[in-house]
């Protein structure tokens, strides 16, 4: 239950992050034994590029501590949504922090919010929603794939988040979100192949006081169809956003100072052949990288006004 709140000591059954390098991390469960392919319980030994780790040795260790591997060492960290996104088992393509931060901001998600998400996928965005809405909010997340639904439900429970999330298997484009969710949601997020088909159901699910909707679409054609559907269903302030992360390169450079004294005084003939060392100054400069991350998708955001204004 290491996602539910801050902890000091690793308990048996906790999900922990084994940090080797910034680009190399693993998520493991702190259990002394696991079941092998022959259905036998064996000692849990986790293999890394820096050697093996007996997982039972993690139980009782403080989060943030350095643990010894057979060929090096690693740090053991308490997981959060950012670390989980980098280490989770991929069942589908997932969203990453640049898009997720914009989604949370545009949907105005806060503690106590009721959020509807479709589809669940690998649960990357779901963990961010749950962190934002806990302790009194609730996430209703949908996926049409039965196995993904079962796995996501199991992960939420094991992470200590089960009380704040309900996972359902449903084709929301055809069946909607269910009558029990009509008029209860503060925000709706769609990540579907044909999100425009779910827009009318999202309008029914949002509260009479109004709410926000966001749809993620890899292609501009999908986004255009969503915009048309939003207009027909009474949504306003429709906008399209593409989030591109650019990391500037900051470095110190020595810049030569141009000597301009010759403009003020005439140099003697004897000084013309004399070379003087050029003065230079240090400046902190910032420049764009030679390459940058490419397109991920479009975020289509809109507002549903209160019932009396529709």
């Amino acid at each position: 239950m290491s996602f539910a709140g801050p902890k000091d000591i690793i308990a048996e059954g906790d999900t922990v992050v084994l940090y080797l390098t910034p680009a190399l991390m693993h998520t493991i469960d702190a259990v002394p034994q696991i079941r092998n392919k022959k259905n036998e319980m064996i000692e849990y030994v986790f293999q890394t590029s820096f050697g093996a780790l007996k997982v039972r040795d993690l139980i009782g260790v403080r989060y943030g501590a350095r643990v010894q591997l057979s060929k090096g060492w690693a740090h053991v960290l308490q997981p959060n949504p950012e670390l989980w996104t980098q280490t989770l088992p991929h069942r589908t393509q997932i969203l990453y922090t640049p898009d997720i931060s914009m989604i949370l901001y545009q949907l105005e998600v806060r503690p106590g919010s009721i959020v509807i998400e479709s589809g669940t996928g690998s649960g990357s965005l779901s963990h961010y929603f749950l962190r934002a809405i806990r302790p009194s909010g609730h996430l209703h997340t949908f996926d049409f794939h039965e196995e993904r639904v079962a796995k996501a439900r199991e992960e939420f429970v094991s992470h200590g988040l089960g009380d704040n999330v309900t996972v359902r298997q449903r084709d929301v484009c055809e069946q909607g979100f269910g009558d029990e969710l009509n008029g209860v949601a503060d925000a709706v997020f769609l990540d579907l192949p044909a999100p425009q088909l779910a827009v009318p159901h999202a309008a029914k699910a949002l509260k009479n006081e109004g709410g926000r909707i966001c749809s993620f679409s890899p292609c501009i054609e999908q986004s255009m169809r969503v915009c048309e559907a939003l207009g027909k269903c009474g949504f306003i302030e429709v906008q399209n956003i593409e989030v591109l992360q650019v990391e500037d390169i900051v470095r110190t450079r020595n810049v030569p100072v141009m000597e301009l004294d010759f403009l003020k005084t005439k140099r003697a003939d004897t000084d013309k052949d004399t070379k003087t060392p050029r003065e230079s100054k240090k400046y902190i400069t910032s420049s764009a990288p030679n390459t940058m991350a490419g397109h991920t998708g479009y975020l289509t955001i809109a507002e549903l006004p209160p019932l009396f204004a529709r």
Side-chain angles (χ1 to χ4, degrees), residues 81 84-85 88 91 95 100 104 115 117-134 139-142 152 156 161 164-165 167 189:
W84 178 247
T85 293
L88 60 78
R91 298 182 288 272
L95 297 176
I100 290 174
L104 295 175
V115 179
E117 175 194 25
S118 185
T120 311
S122 300
S124 172
L125 177 59
S126 305
H127 281 76
Y128 287 85
F129 276 139
L130 286 166
R131 180 175 64 181
I133 67 177
R134 294 179 75 246
L139 173 66
H140 299 272
T141 182
F142 295 82
F156 292 138
L161 304 172
N164 296 94
V165 59
V167 190
F189 175 76

Side-chain angles (χ1 to χ4, degrees), residues 105-179:
Y105 170 72
Q106 291 291 341
L107 291 181
E108 301 176 1
V109 179
R110 57 191 180 274
S113 294
I114 307 298
V115 179
I116 294 176
E117 175 194 25
S118 185
T120 311
S122 300
S124 172
L125 177 59
S126 305
H127 281 76
Y128 287 85
F129 276 139
L130 286 166
R131 180 175 64 181
I133 67 177
R134 294 179 75 246
S136 56
H138 202 88
L139 173 66
H140 299 272
T141 182
F142 295 82
D143 202 293
F144 72 91
H145 195 278
E146 183 178 359
E147 185 177 344
R148 287 202 293 263
V149 167
K151 187 61 179 176
R153 186 181 292 117
E154 178 186 333
E155 285 177 350
F156 292 138
V157 172
S158 66
H159 294 167
L161 304 172
D163 292 340
N164 296 94
V165 59
T166 301
V167 190
R168 296 183 178 93
Q169 181 194 4
R170 185 191 292 263
D171 184 354
V172 299
C173 294
E174 295 291 335
Q175 303 170 338
F177 301 110
D179 293 338

Side-chain angles (χ1 to χ4, degrees), residues 71 179-180 233:
K71 297 180 182 178
D179 293 338
E180 67 276 12
C233 292

Side-chain angles (χ1 to χ4, degrees), residues 50-298:
F50 294 110
L53 169 70
K54 288 185 178 180
V55 179
R56 70 165 59 247
D57 295 339
L58 296 180
I59 301 173
V61 173
R62 293 184 67 88
Y63 280 107
R66 193 168 99 166
V67 294
Q68 191 67 41
L69 308 177
S70 59
K71 297 180 182 178
W73 50 268
H75 285 91
V76 58
L77 306 178
Q78 184 174 359
N80 57 29
E82 288 79 12
L83 293 175
W84 178 247
T85 293
Q86 296 183 58
T87 58
L88 60 78
H90 284 220
R91 298 182 288 272
T92 59
Q93 292 291 325
I94 67 172
L95 297 176
Y96 290 92
T97 306
D99 286 316
I100 290 174
S101 60
M102 180 60 71
I103 291 167
L104 295 175
Y105 170 72
Q106 291 291 341
L107 291 181
E108 301 176 1
V109 179
R110 57 191 180 274
S113 294
I114 307 298
V115 179
I116 294 176
E117 175 194 25
S118 185
T120 311
S122 300
S124 172
L125 177 59
S126 305
H127 281 76
Y128 287 85
F129 276 139
L130 286 166
R131 180 175 64 181
I133 67 177
R134 294 179 75 246
S136 56
H138 202 88
L139 173 66
H140 299 272
T141 182
F142 295 82
D143 202 293
F144 72 91
H145 195 278
E146 183 178 359
E147 185 177 344
R148 287 202 293 263
V149 167
K151 187 61 179 176
R153 186 181 292 117
E154 178 186 333
E155 285 177 350
F156 292 138
V157 172
S158 66
H159 294 167
L161 304 172
D163 292 340
N164 296 94
V165 59
T166 301
V167 190
R168 296 183 178 93
Q169 181 194 4
R170 185 191 292 263
D171 184 354
V172 299
C173 294
E174 295 291 335
Q175 303 170 338
F177 301 110
D179 293 338
E180 67 276 12
L181 292 183
N182 285 348
V184 303
D186 296 293
V188 175
F189 175 76
L190 304 175
D191 185 0
L192 302 167
Q196 72 276 7
L197 301 178
V199 170
H201 304 300
K204 292 180 181 179
L206 289 170
K207 291 180 177 178
N208 292 337
E209 296 86 347
R212 304 278 291 174
I213 186 172
C214 178
S215 174
F216 177 84
S217 303
C219 304
I220 190 63
E221 292 82 5
Q222 290 173 299
S223 182
M224 292 170 61
R225 289 191 285 268
V226 172
C227 291
E228 293 175 1
L230 289 170
K232 293 178 181 178
C233 292
F235 286 87
I236 60 174
E237 298 180 4
V238 180
Q239 57 179 321
N240 252 2
I241 296 176
E242 183 181 20
V243 180
L244 297 177
Q245 184 177 10
V246 179
E247 184 177 350
D248 282 353
I249 301 172
V250 179
R251 64 181 64 175
T252 301
R253 294 192 180 189
N254 290 319
V255 180
V257 178
M258 183 176 293
E259 178 60 59
L260 299 177
D261 286 345
F262 69 92
L263 296 176
K264 300 178 181 179
T265 58
K266 187 175 180 180
R267 296 177 63 181
D269 293 339
T270 55
D271 297 334
K272 291 182 179 180
D273 297 331
T274 304
K275 293 183 178 181
T276 57
R278 300 187 65 180
E279 182 186 355
S280 64
K281 291 187 177 181
K282 289 185 177 181
Y283 293 94
I284 297 177
T285 64
S286 174
S287 60
N290 295 326
T291 60
M292 61 181 289
H295 167 78
T296 57
Y298 300 99

